[in-house]
Amino acid sequence: MSLKEKAISGLIWTFAQQFGHQLIGFIVSVILARILLPAEFGLIGMISIFFGVGMVLLDGGLTQSLIRSKELDEDDYSTVFFFNLFASFVIYVIIYISAPLIGNFYDQPILITVIRLYCLTFIISGFGAVQQARLTKNMEFRVQALMTVPATLIGGGVGVAMAYMGYGVFSLVWSQIVTSVISVSQLWFYTKWMPNLTFNFTKFKDHFNYGYKLTLSNLLNKIFQNLYIIIIGKYFSAAQVGFYTRADSTTKLPVTNISNALNKVTFPMFAAIQEDNVRLKRVYRQLMQMVVFVIAPILILMAVLAEPIFRFLFTEKWLPAVPYFQILCISGILHPVHTYNLNVLKVKGRSDLFLKISIINKVITIIGIIIGIQFGIFGLLYAQVIVSFTTFFLHAYYTDQFINYSAWEQIKDLIPIILLSLLCGGIILYLDLLLVNYLDFFRIITGLTVGGGVYFLLAWIFKFNSIGDLRKIVLKK
C-alpha cells in the first residue's frame, strides 16, 4: 500500500475512531450533565491539570521518538516500555502524596480522594503506551478504531449507572478508570507484542535526547492549557469551573475530533517525507485548508445556536456556560493551525525550537492572563482568544523557515474559508431570530441543516479545493 493510500485509509479509520469515541463519550456526558451538578464536573476540572501533567511526564516524549525513528528493534520498544512503566509508578506516588496540598489549595477536601483514585490511570496507561505507538507508527488505525468503541461504551455505562445510584463525582472517576483498563487490555490483545526483559541505556539516551524537549514543551502546554481552570477554580466557585469546562469540552468536541485525527495520521506521514520540503509543504497546505474548511463552519454555527443547543442537551442549569462557549469557539478555529505549524518542527527533528516556542507562548499567555483577570472571567476568556491569534504569527514564522509557508500565505489560504463560514453564520443568526419561539430541537436541526447546506453549496460554486479533497477521502480516490 502506498503512502497516500495508507494516509487516506488512516484518515478514514482515525475519524471513525475519534467520532465513535467522542459520539459515545458525548452521549454519556449529556446524560451525566443532566444527572450531576455543574460543581461536580468542576471538581474534575480542578484536577485536570494534575492528570494532564502526569500523562505528559509518563510519556516523556519517547513514544514520539519511536514513531519518528526509521530504524528500530525490539530493544528500542522494550527500553521505552520499561521507562514508561517506571515513570507511571513514580508519578502516581508523587500525586498521591501531594493530594492533600491540592485539596487545601482549592479548599475542597473531597479532592484528596478524587485525585488519588482518578490518577490510578497513570499506572494503567503505562502498560499500553508503547503498544499504542507501534500501532500508530505502522499506521494501523483500523485496529485502534475497533478498540475505542467497547472501552468508551463500557466505561461510560459504568459512569451513568453510578451517577443514577448517587455516587456523584465518583461516577466520573470510575468511568475513566474502567475505560483505561479496557483500552490497555485491548492494546495487549491486538498488538500481540510483549517487551523483552532488556533496558538499553544507549537507546534510551537517543530517544530521551529527542523526547525530553518535546516533553518539556508539552508539559508547559498542558500546564498553561489548564491555567485558566486553576485561576477560575481558585478565585471563583466550583460551579464556574464546571461551566467553563463544559464550554471548553463542547468547543473541543469538533476541534479535537478532526484535528487530532488528522494529526495522528499526518505526523507519521510527514515523518516519512521529512526530507522533501516541496512535497511536505504541498501536503501540509492541503491538510490545513481541509481541516479548517470543516472546523470553521461547525464552530461558527454552534456558536450562533449555542443557547438552544445547551438548553436542549444539558438543561437550563447549564445556560451560564453559553457565553463562555461562544467566545471559545473563536479561538478554536485556529487550534488545528497551531498544531500543524508545530508539527513541522517535530518532523524536522527540531525539538529544541519546539521547546523555545512553547516557552515564548507561555510568556505571552501569562501577560494575557495578568491583563485579562482584571476584567473577571470574561476578561480571561477574551485574553485566550487574543493569545491564540498572537501566537499564530510566531508559529507560522518557523514554518516559513523550514518549508517556505509564511503567515501571509496561510492567511490568504484560510481567509476565504473563514469569511464563508461567517457569512453562513450570519444567515443562520437571522433565521434563528425568526424561529426563537419554536422548540429548541427544531431550531438546532433547521440551523445546522440550512447553514451546512448553504456553506457546501457556496463552497462548490466558488470551487474551494477542500471540497475535492474531502471527496477523495470519502471515496478513497
PDB file of all heavy atoms in Angstrom, residues 220-245:
ATOM      1  N   LEU A 220       4.716  22.307  29.477  1.00  0.00           N
ATOM      2  CA  LEU A 220       4.336  23.717  29.545  1.00  0.00           C
ATOM      3  C   LEU A 220       2.962  23.934  28.918  1.00  0.00           C
ATOM      4  O   LEU A 220       2.126  24.676  29.449  1.00  0.00           O
ATOM      5  CB  LEU A 220       5.382  24.576  28.830  1.00  0.00           C
ATOM      6  CG  LEU A 220       6.722  24.763  29.551  1.00  0.00           C
ATOM      7  CD1 LEU A 220       7.718  25.456  28.641  1.00  0.00           C
ATOM      8  CD2 LEU A 220       6.539  25.560  30.836  1.00  0.00           C
ATOM      9  N   ASN A 221       2.739  23.292  27.772  1.00  0.00           N
ATOM     10  CA  ASN A 221       1.443  23.430  27.103  1.00  0.00           C
ATOM     11  C   ASN A 221       0.309  22.953  27.994  1.00  0.00           C
ATOM     12  O   ASN A 221      -0.736  23.597  28.110  1.00  0.00           O
ATOM     13  CB  ASN A 221       1.434  22.627  25.799  1.00  0.00           C
ATOM     14  CG  ASN A 221       2.239  23.287  24.704  1.00  0.00           C
ATOM     15  OD1 ASN A 221       2.457  24.496  24.739  1.00  0.00           O
ATOM     16  ND2 ASN A 221       2.709  22.509  23.754  1.00  0.00           N
ATOM     17  N   LYS A 222       0.504  21.790  28.616  1.00  0.00           N
ATOM     18  CA  LYS A 222      -0.546  21.220  29.451  1.00  0.00           C
ATOM     19  C   LYS A 222      -0.842  22.106  30.659  1.00  0.00           C
ATOM     20  O   LYS A 222      -2.005  22.319  31.025  1.00  0.00           O
ATOM     21  CB  LYS A 222      -0.128  19.818  29.908  1.00  0.00           C
ATOM     22  CG  LYS A 222      -1.233  19.053  30.621  1.00  0.00           C
ATOM     23  CD  LYS A 222      -2.451  18.837  29.731  1.00  0.00           C
ATOM     24  CE  LYS A 222      -2.156  17.984  28.529  1.00  0.00           C
ATOM     25  NZ  LYS A 222      -3.388  17.689  27.751  1.00  0.00           N
ATOM     26  N   ILE A 223       0.213  22.612  31.276  1.00  0.00           N
ATOM     27  CA  ILE A 223       0.030  23.498  32.433  1.00  0.00           C
ATOM     28  C   ILE A 223      -0.735  24.750  32.026  1.00  0.00           C
ATOM     29  O   ILE A 223      -1.690  25.168  32.689  1.00  0.00           O
ATOM     30  CB  ILE A 223       1.387  23.874  33.052  1.00  0.00           C
ATOM     31  CG1 ILE A 223       2.024  22.646  33.712  1.00  0.00           C
ATOM     32  CG2 ILE A 223       1.226  25.001  34.079  1.00  0.00           C
ATOM     33  CD1 ILE A 223       3.451  22.872  34.169  1.00  0.00           C
ATOM     34  N   PHE A 224      -0.329  25.326  30.910  1.00  0.00           N
ATOM     35  CA  PHE A 224      -0.947  26.585  30.504  1.00  0.00           C
ATOM     36  C   PHE A 224      -2.322  26.386  29.885  1.00  0.00           C
ATOM     37  O   PHE A 224      -3.162  27.283  29.927  1.00  0.00           O
ATOM     38  CB  PHE A 224      -0.014  27.353  29.567  1.00  0.00           C
ATOM     39  CG  PHE A 224       1.046  28.119  30.307  1.00  0.00           C
ATOM     40  CD1 PHE A 224       2.180  27.482  30.771  1.00  0.00           C
ATOM     41  CD2 PHE A 224       0.893  29.465  30.563  1.00  0.00           C
ATOM     42  CE1 PHE A 224       3.153  28.170  31.464  1.00  0.00           C
ATOM     43  CE2 PHE A 224       1.845  30.174  31.266  1.00  0.00           C
ATOM     44  CZ  PHE A 224       2.996  29.529  31.714  1.00  0.00           C
ATOM     45  N   GLN A 225      -2.576  25.212  29.311  1.00  0.00           N
ATOM     46  CA  GLN A 225      -3.932  24.918  28.842  1.00  0.00           C
ATOM     47  C   GLN A 225      -4.911  24.897  30.009  1.00  0.00           C
ATOM     48  O   GLN A 225      -6.080  25.246  29.867  1.00  0.00           O
ATOM     49  CB  GLN A 225      -3.951  23.561  28.130  1.00  0.00           C
ATOM     50  CG  GLN A 225      -3.408  23.580  26.724  1.00  0.00           C
ATOM     51  CD  GLN A 225      -3.292  22.180  26.150  1.00  0.00           C
ATOM     52  OE1 GLN A 225      -3.725  21.197  26.758  1.00  0.00           O
ATOM     53  NE2 GLN A 225      -2.683  22.061  24.977  1.00  0.00           N
ATOM     54  N   ASN A 226      -4.419  24.452  31.144  1.00  0.00           N
ATOM     55  CA  ASN A 226      -5.269  24.336  32.326  1.00  0.00           C
ATOM     56  C   ASN A 226      -5.117  25.504  33.293  1.00  0.00           C
ATOM     57  O   ASN A 226      -5.740  25.504  34.355  1.00  0.00           O
ATOM     58  CB  ASN A 226      -4.960  23.029  33.058  1.00  0.00           C
ATOM     59  CG  ASN A 226      -5.431  21.810  32.298  1.00  0.00           C
ATOM     60  OD1 ASN A 226      -6.589  21.422  32.363  1.00  0.00           O
ATOM     61  ND2 ASN A 226      -4.526  21.196  31.550  1.00  0.00           N
ATOM     62  N   LEU A 227      -4.275  26.463  32.919  1.00  0.00           N
ATOM     63  CA  LEU A 227      -4.036  27.590  33.822  1.00  0.00           C
ATOM     64  C   LEU A 227      -5.313  28.386  34.069  1.00  0.00           C
ATOM     65  O   LEU A 227      -5.550  28.877  35.173  1.00  0.00           O
ATOM     66  CB  LEU A 227      -2.950  28.495  33.233  1.00  0.00           C
ATOM     67  CG  LEU A 227      -2.340  29.539  34.174  1.00  0.00           C
ATOM     68  CD1 LEU A 227      -1.772  28.875  35.417  1.00  0.00           C
ATOM     69  CD2 LEU A 227      -1.259  30.334  33.453  1.00  0.00           C
ATOM     70  N   TYR A 228      -6.139  28.478  33.028  1.00  0.00           N
ATOM     71  CA  TYR A 228      -7.404  29.206  33.187  1.00  0.00           C
ATOM     72  C   TYR A 228      -8.302  28.497  34.202  1.00  0.00           C
ATOM     73  O   TYR A 228      -8.970  29.140  35.013  1.00  0.00           O
ATOM     74  CB  TYR A 228      -8.111  29.321  31.836  1.00  0.00           C
ATOM     75  CG  TYR A 228      -7.366  30.174  30.839  1.00  0.00           C
ATOM     76  CD1 TYR A 228      -6.504  29.591  29.899  1.00  0.00           C
ATOM     77  CD2 TYR A 228      -7.501  31.552  30.837  1.00  0.00           C
ATOM     78  CE1 TYR A 228      -5.812  30.371  28.984  1.00  0.00           C
ATOM     79  CE2 TYR A 228      -6.809  32.343  29.925  1.00  0.00           C
ATOM     80  CZ  TYR A 228      -5.968  31.742  29.009  1.00  0.00           C
ATOM     81  OH  TYR A 228      -5.272  32.519  28.122  1.00  0.00           O
ATOM     82  N   ILE A 229      -8.296  27.157  34.170  1.00  0.00           N
ATOM     83  CA  ILE A 229      -9.108  26.404  35.130  1.00  0.00           C
ATOM     84  C   ILE A 229      -8.577  26.595  36.542  1.00  0.00           C
ATOM     85  O   ILE A 229      -9.352  26.725  37.499  1.00  0.00           O
ATOM     86  CB  ILE A 229      -9.120  24.906  34.752  1.00  0.00           C
ATOM     87  CG1 ILE A 229      -9.848  24.710  33.414  1.00  0.00           C
ATOM     88  CG2 ILE A 229      -9.803  24.073  35.838  1.00  0.00           C
ATOM     89  CD1 ILE A 229      -9.861  23.279  32.931  1.00  0.00           C
ATOM     90  N   ILE A 230      -7.255  26.609  36.690  1.00  0.00           N
ATOM     91  CA  ILE A 230      -6.658  26.820  38.017  1.00  0.00           C
ATOM     92  C   ILE A 230      -7.096  28.163  38.576  1.00  0.00           C
ATOM     93  O   ILE A 230      -7.516  28.272  39.740  1.00  0.00           O
ATOM     94  CB  ILE A 230      -5.121  26.766  37.941  1.00  0.00           C
ATOM     95  CG1 ILE A 230      -4.657  25.356  37.560  1.00  0.00           C
ATOM     96  CG2 ILE A 230      -4.497  27.168  39.270  1.00  0.00           C
ATOM     97  CD1 ILE A 230      -3.165  25.253  37.346  1.00  0.00           C
ATOM     98  N   ILE A 231      -7.004  29.195  37.764  1.00  0.00           N
ATOM     99  CA  ILE A 231      -7.357  30.549  38.226  1.00  0.00           C
ATOM    100  C   ILE A 231      -8.848  30.650  38.528  1.00  0.00           C
ATOM    101  O   ILE A 231      -9.255  31.207  39.553  1.00  0.00           O
ATOM    102  CB  ILE A 231      -6.938  31.588  37.170  1.00  0.00           C
ATOM    103  CG1 ILE A 231      -5.411  31.609  37.068  1.00  0.00           C
ATOM    104  CG2 ILE A 231      -7.476  32.970  37.525  1.00  0.00           C
ATOM    105  CD1 ILE A 231      -4.877  32.461  35.946  1.00  0.00           C
ATOM    106  N   ILE A 232      -9.672  30.090  37.633  1.00  0.00           N
ATOM    107  CA  ILE A 232     -11.118  30.121  37.883  1.00  0.00           C
ATOM    108  C   ILE A 232     -11.459  29.327  39.139  1.00  0.00           C
ATOM    109  O   ILE A 232     -12.273  29.752  39.959  1.00  0.00           O
ATOM    110  CB  ILE A 232     -11.887  29.561  36.659  1.00  0.00           C
ATOM    111  CG1 ILE A 232     -11.679  30.469  35.442  1.00  0.00           C
ATOM    112  CG2 ILE A 232     -13.385  29.449  36.963  1.00  0.00           C
ATOM    113  CD1 ILE A 232     -12.185  29.872  34.139  1.00  0.00           C
ATOM    114  N   GLY A 233     -10.812  28.165  39.315  1.00  0.00           N
ATOM    115  CA  GLY A 233     -11.066  27.349  40.498  1.00  0.00           C
ATOM    116  C   GLY A 233     -10.617  28.011  41.783  1.00  0.00           C
ATOM    117  O   GLY A 233     -11.225  27.812  42.843  1.00  0.00           O
ATOM    118  N   LYS A 234      -9.538  28.796  41.689  1.00  0.00           N
ATOM    119  CA  LYS A 234      -9.006  29.464  42.886  1.00  0.00           C
ATOM    120  C   LYS A 234      -9.820  30.692  43.265  1.00  0.00           C
ATOM    121  O   LYS A 234     -10.067  30.941  44.449  1.00  0.00           O
ATOM    122  CB  LYS A 234      -7.547  29.853  42.643  1.00  0.00           C
ATOM    123  CG  LYS A 234      -6.868  30.540  43.823  1.00  0.00           C
ATOM    124  CD  LYS A 234      -6.764  29.609  45.017  1.00  0.00           C
ATOM    125  CE  LYS A 234      -6.012  30.281  46.171  1.00  0.00           C
ATOM    126  NZ  LYS A 234      -5.980  29.424  47.372  1.00  0.00           N
ATOM    127  N   TYR A 235     -10.238  31.457  42.274  1.00  0.00           N
ATOM    128  CA  TYR A 235     -10.875  32.738  42.565  1.00  0.00           C
ATOM    129  C   TYR A 235     -12.386  32.758  42.338  1.00  0.00           C
ATOM    130  O   TYR A 235     -13.052  33.738  42.677  1.00  0.00           O
ATOM    131  CB  TYR A 235     -10.219  33.853  41.727  1.00  0.00           C
ATOM    132  CG  TYR A 235      -8.770  34.067  42.099  1.00  0.00           C
ATOM    133  CD1 TYR A 235      -7.751  33.575  41.301  1.00  0.00           C
ATOM    134  CD2 TYR A 235      -8.428  34.749  43.261  1.00  0.00           C
ATOM    135  CE1 TYR A 235      -6.416  33.760  41.637  1.00  0.00           C
ATOM    136  CE2 TYR A 235      -7.096  34.955  43.614  1.00  0.00           C
ATOM    137  CZ  TYR A 235      -6.096  34.446  42.794  1.00  0.00           C
ATOM    138  OH  TYR A 235      -4.785  34.631  43.137  1.00  0.00           O
ATOM    139  N   PHE A 236     -12.909  31.690  41.736  1.00  0.00           N
ATOM    140  CA  PHE A 236     -14.348  31.616  41.521  1.00  0.00           C
ATOM    141  C   PHE A 236     -14.859  30.302  42.094  1.00  0.00           C
ATOM    142  O   PHE A 236     -14.104  29.533  42.686  1.00  0.00           O
ATOM    143  CB  PHE A 236     -14.676  31.739  40.024  1.00  0.00           C
ATOM    144  CG  PHE A 236     -14.194  33.023  39.406  1.00  0.00           C
ATOM    145  CD1 PHE A 236     -12.938  33.099  38.797  1.00  0.00           C
ATOM    146  CD2 PHE A 236     -14.972  34.161  39.427  1.00  0.00           C
ATOM    147  CE1 PHE A 236     -12.485  34.275  38.233  1.00  0.00           C
ATOM    148  CE2 PHE A 236     -14.532  35.354  38.863  1.00  0.00           C
ATOM    149  CZ  PHE A 236     -13.280  35.410  38.261  1.00  0.00           C
ATOM    150  N   SER A 237     -16.137  30.017  41.933  1.00  0.00           N
ATOM    151  CA  SER A 237     -16.732  28.825  42.535  1.00  0.00           C
ATOM    152  C   SER A 237     -16.484  27.575  41.697  1.00  0.00           C
ATOM    153  O   SER A 237     -16.117  27.650  40.520  1.00  0.00           O
ATOM    154  CB  SER A 237     -18.244  29.034  42.688  1.00  0.00           C
ATOM    155  OG  SER A 237     -18.862  29.103  41.410  1.00  0.00           O
ATOM    156  N   ALA A 238     -16.731  26.423  42.316  1.00  0.00           N
ATOM    157  CA  ALA A 238     -16.611  25.150  41.597  1.00  0.00           C
ATOM    158  C   ALA A 238     -17.618  25.094  40.446  1.00  0.00           C
ATOM    159  O   ALA A 238     -17.345  24.507  39.397  1.00  0.00           O
ATOM    160  CB  ALA A 238     -16.831  23.977  42.552  1.00  0.00           C
ATOM    161  N   ALA A 239     -18.774  25.719  40.639  1.00  0.00           N
ATOM    162  CA  ALA A 239     -19.783  25.751  39.576  1.00  0.00           C
ATOM    163  C   ALA A 239     -19.260  26.510  38.357  1.00  0.00           C
ATOM    164  O   ALA A 239     -19.485  26.102  37.208  1.00  0.00           O
ATOM    165  CB  ALA A 239     -21.065  26.391  40.077  1.00  0.00           C
ATOM    166  N   GLN A 240     -18.535  27.613  38.587  1.00  0.00           N
ATOM    167  CA  GLN A 240     -17.971  28.370  37.474  1.00  0.00           C
ATOM    168  C   GLN A 240     -16.943  27.537  36.718  1.00  0.00           C
ATOM    169  O   GLN A 240     -16.850  27.606  35.490  1.00  0.00           O
ATOM    170  CB  GLN A 240     -17.301  29.653  37.990  1.00  0.00           C
ATOM    171  CG  GLN A 240     -18.268  30.695  38.525  1.00  0.00           C
ATOM    172  CD  GLN A 240     -19.109  31.299  37.426  1.00  0.00           C
ATOM    173  OE1 GLN A 240     -20.157  30.753  37.073  1.00  0.00           O
ATOM    174  NE2 GLN A 240     -18.677  32.412  36.878  1.00  0.00           N
ATOM    175  N   VAL A 241     -16.175  26.749  37.459  1.00  0.00           N
ATOM    176  CA  VAL A 241     -15.234  25.830  36.805  1.00  0.00           C
ATOM    177  C   VAL A 241     -16.013  24.829  35.951  1.00  0.00           C
ATOM    178  O   VAL A 241     -15.620  24.511  34.830  1.00  0.00           O
ATOM    179  CB  VAL A 241     -14.371  25.077  37.839  1.00  0.00           C
ATOM    180  CG1 VAL A 241     -13.430  24.082  37.134  1.00  0.00           C
ATOM    181  CG2 VAL A 241     -13.562  26.049  38.681  1.00  0.00           C
ATOM    182  N   GLY A 242     -17.128  24.354  36.489  1.00  0.00           N
ATOM    183  CA  GLY A 242     -17.970  23.423  35.743  1.00  0.00           C
ATOM    184  C   GLY A 242     -18.500  24.035  34.457  1.00  0.00           C
ATOM    185  O   GLY A 242     -18.500  23.393  33.399  1.00  0.00           O
ATOM    186  N   PHE A 243     -18.960  25.288  34.533  1.00  0.00           N
ATOM    187  CA  PHE A 243     -19.466  25.969  33.337  1.00  0.00           C
ATOM    188  C   PHE A 243     -18.349  26.136  32.299  1.00  0.00           C
ATOM    189  O   PHE A 243     -18.552  25.922  31.102  1.00  0.00           O
ATOM    190  CB  PHE A 243     -20.051  27.341  33.693  1.00  0.00           C
ATOM    191  CG  PHE A 243     -21.301  27.275  34.530  1.00  0.00           C
ATOM    192  CD1 PHE A 243     -21.480  28.122  35.613  1.00  0.00           C
ATOM    193  CD2 PHE A 243     -22.302  26.356  34.238  1.00  0.00           C
ATOM    194  CE1 PHE A 243     -22.630  28.062  36.390  1.00  0.00           C
ATOM    195  CE2 PHE A 243     -23.459  26.290  35.004  1.00  0.00           C
ATOM    196  CZ  PHE A 243     -23.618  27.148  36.088  1.00  0.00           C
ATOM    197  N   TYR A 244     -17.168  26.517  32.776  1.00  0.00           N
ATOM    198  CA  TYR A 244     -16.046  26.721  31.857  1.00  0.00           C
ATOM    199  C   TYR A 244     -15.629  25.404  31.207  1.00  0.00           C
ATOM    200  O   TYR A 244     -15.415  25.345  29.981  1.00  0.00           O
ATOM    201  CB  TYR A 244     -14.856  27.336  32.593  1.00  0.00           C
ATOM    202  CG  TYR A 244     -13.629  27.472  31.709  1.00  0.00           C
ATOM    203  CD1 TYR A 244     -13.483  28.556  30.857  1.00  0.00           C
ATOM    204  CD2 TYR A 244     -12.638  26.491  31.703  1.00  0.00           C
ATOM    205  CE1 TYR A 244     -12.384  28.677  30.024  1.00  0.00           C
ATOM    206  CE2 TYR A 244     -11.536  26.599  30.871  1.00  0.00           C
ATOM    207  CZ  TYR A 244     -11.408  27.696  30.041  1.00  0.00           C
ATOM    208  OH  TYR A 244     -10.319  27.792  29.216  1.00  0.00           O
ATOM    209  N   THR A 245     -15.481  24.345  31.999  1.00  0.00           N
ATOM    210  CA  THR A 245     -15.055  23.059  31.445  1.00  0.00           C
ATOM    211  C   THR A 245     -16.106  22.488  30.486  1.00  0.00           C
ATOM    212  O   THR A 245     -15.764  21.860  29.494  1.00  0.00           O
ATOM    213  CB  THR A 245     -14.754  22.037  32.556  1.00  0.00           C
ATOM    214  OG1 THR A 245     -15.903  21.904  33.415  1.00  0.00           O
ATOM    215  CG2 THR A 245     -13.562  22.473  33.389  1.00  0.00           C
TER     216      THR A 245
END
